Amino acid sequence: MLLPAKSEVARQLRHYRAWERSMLASPTDVTVRTTFEDSGYTLCVLMGKRCAREAADAAERYLRTNLVTHAQEQPERLAPSAHKAPSGAA
């Protein structure tokens, strides 16, 4: 599994949280909202999540853990072909 650098995750998470605070302070500012949404999208891509809130939570967990712990916490994702019975199995 390829994981992003913790320094980059930390930087993007700080960026996301700063724009989140700005957006909450000025919810009608289109520029602030757009930049907040863009920062959420970047965090989603970085963390492999579909929702910015989930991505932020995943980033926080990732930054608290070491590499081995993070890998163990991830659900195993198998391709559909990997679910077939081994050769010779009935």
Side-chain angles (χ1 to χ4, degrees):
M1 173 196 290
L2 188 61
L3 296 171
K6 284 194 172 190
S7 60
E8 183 62 18
V9 172
R11 188 175 76 79
Q12 292 297 333
L13 183 59
R14 281 192 309 271
H15 186 100
Y16 173 79
R17 292 296 186 204
W19 282 107
E20 181 180 41
R21 286 188 299 275
S22 296
M23 197 273 307
L24 291 171
S26 304
T28 59
D29 187 326
V30 176
T31 303
V32 170
R33 180 173 288 276
T34 301
T35 308
F36 168 65
E37 290 172 356
D38 288 348
S39 69
Y41 176 78
T42 301
L43 200 55
C44 286
V45 171
L46 191 63
M47 298 309 298
K49 300 293 181 183
R50 293 183 179 207
C51 167
R53 185 175 303 262
E54 289 177 7
D57 290 344
E60 289 170 351
R61 279 192 310 275
Y62 176 56
L63 293 172
R64 283 193 307 263
T65 62
N66 62 36
L67 182 61
V68 174
T69 304
H70 181 75
Q72 291 171 344
E73 289 177 351
Q74 298 305 307
E76 189 174 330
R77 296 181 186 181
L78 298 175
S81 61
H83 293 288
K84 293 180 181 175
S87 298

